Amino acid sequence: MTGEPGAIRTVIVGASGRMGGQLLRLMPEFPRLQLHGAVTSPGSAALDLDAGTYAGGAACGVRITASLPPLLKHADLVLDFSHATAVPANLSACVDAGVALLIGTTGLPPPLEAELTAAARAIALLVAPNTSLAVNLLTQLVRQAASALPASYDIEIVEMHHRAKRDAPSGTAMSLGAAAAQGRGVSLEQHASYARHGVSESRQDEQIGFSSVRGGDVVGEHEVWFLGAGERLLLKHSATDRAVFARGALVAGQWLAGRTAGSYRMQDIFIN
Ligand SMILES: NC(=O)c1ccc[n+]([C@@H]2O[C@H](COP(=O)([O-])OP(=O)(O)OC[C@H]3O[C@@H](n4cnc5c(N)ncnc54)[C@H](OP(=O)(O)O)[C@@H]3O)[C@@H](O)[C@H]2O)c1
């Protein structure tokens, strides 16, 4: 299959999932992105169905399959929102075919780090555990504020999510903490404080505090406080719709396709 001139032939891995569905429904907002393939797990109930209708939209003529490599010969971009266990094989298939890859799948095992580094020598690779554009801008602003303000401004991160979320603090809160620590020039590992209860020591200098609130159907709120003597600065992001992650991934994918090999971050999108 050949694409329209300028078209980015895109394969979605995890096409039958919640994120896959969002990506498929929002893709028409990005006319350069042309759906080229839709992949799920080998045992998926969605196999062989039309990806568009499965996602609740119009038929698109692309059938859902369980194998990525055959689709890559004529593809320009892969968006992976599947499962951590599927990522190593998808990564090596993209390297073999020389196709740009955005990994939105979370929970990647630390040993994969070396493979990701090696892959980025061969393909344009963007690993993005949070594809919201505004969250990624917030991360930059937090780093900048932590670096600009003196250490006497205490940093506290408060996150709020729906009642079903199991992990705490959220991965995004941890990334914001890492950005704050980087801006301050300290180690997050040594300065993070995750729990306060009872009668304990008062707040330590350079501590980065985390608080997690769980309840209801909150999609995701992240607040980063800089608390000084006589003033407070609050940097805050609220997600009201999960579509922000899909839209951000499509913006990032469009930006990534056709780039030279390298390891990219969501924040690179704001620079170039
Ligand atoms: N980067 C971000 O901003 C962001 C935002 C939201 C979610 N995520 C992450 O994206 C991933 C997917 O999230 P989700 O909510 O869409 O999950 P989900 O609804 O459970 O969907 C997972 C999808 O992956 C497919 N899949 C599972 N194992 C696979 C395999 N071995 N090979 C190929 N496909 C496989 C599933 O197929 P079948 O079930 O049909 O078999 C399904 O299509 C998760 O890691 C999640 O944490 C990232």
Side-chain angles (χ1 to χ4, degrees):
M1 194 193 285
T2 52
E4 301 290 318
I8 299 168
R9 293 161 298 182
T10 305
V11 179
I12 296 176
V13 184
S16 60
R18 280 164 295 196
M19 275 301 288
Q22 294 271 15
L23 291 165
L24 287 162
R25 288 190 293 276
L26 290 173
M27 226 165 163
E29 289 181 17
F30 297 78
R32 282 187 64 213
L33 296 177
Q34 182 184 89
L35 186 66
H36 179 71
V39 178
T40 55
S41 72
S44 175
L47 282 181
D48 214 31
L49 299 176
D50 183 278
T53 42
Y54 192 83
C60 64
V62 171
R63 300 219 162 262
I64 296 174
T65 68
S67 183
L68 177 62
L71 296 167
L72 294 180
K73 197 170 171 201
H74 299 294
D76 303 303
L77 172 70
V78 171
L79 303 175
D80 186 324
F81 283 85
S82 60
H83 192 271
T85 53
V87 171
N90 298 336
L91 179 67
S92 77
C94 288
V95 168
D96 290 347
V99 176
L101 170 64
L102 182 152
I103 302 176
T105 303
T106 60
L108 305 183
L112 196 62
E113 205 54 50
E115 279 172 61
L116 292 168
T117 305
R121 288 189 211 108
I123 58 169
L125 178 67
L126 198 163
V127 181
N130 188 318
T131 45
S132 148
L133 295 177
V135 159
N136 283 284
L137 180 58
L138 174 67
T139 308
Q140 269 191 351
L141 295 173
V142 166
R143 191 178 297 114
Q144 196 184 342
S147 154
L149 291 169
S152 57
Y153 285 70
D154 297 323
I155 301 175
E156 290 286 319
I157 298 172
V158 184
E159 55 100 347
M160 189 192 293
H161 284 88
H162 53 88
R163 67 200 321 278
K165 187 169 177 64
R166 292 185 184 193
D167 55 315
S170 68
T172 300
M174 292 305 296
S175 308
L176 291 168
Q182 200 184 21
R184 274 275 151 96
V186 299
S187 141
L188 181 63
E189 217 169 73
Q190 284 171 17
H191 294 281
S193 167
Y194 298 110
R196 295 190 184 108
H197 177 246
V199 182
S200 59
E201 289 175 19
S202 59
R203 197 183 196 288
Q204 301 294 301
D205 289 344
E206 294 193 339
Q207 205 174 57
I208 296 176
F210 290 85
S211 309
S212 297
V213 182
R214 292 287 174 271
D217 60 355
V218 181
V219 174
E221 306 263 327
H222 291 89
E223 297 181 350
V224 183
W225 289 92
F226 293 86
L227 304 152
E231 63 178 354
R232 298 190 285 273
L233 170 68
L234 170 62
L235 299 175
K236 175 173 178 174
H237 177 268
S238 302
T240 53
D241 186 340
R242 286 184 177 81
V244 294
F245 305 113
R247 201 169 274 118
L250 293 166
V251 169
Q254 194 165 263
W255 177 90
L256 186 69
R259 294 211 169 246
T260 53
S263 176
Y264 297 98
R265 302 169 310 152
M266 284 296 288
Q267 282 136 49
D268 295 329
I269 295 170
F270 303 121
I271 302 163
N272 301 297

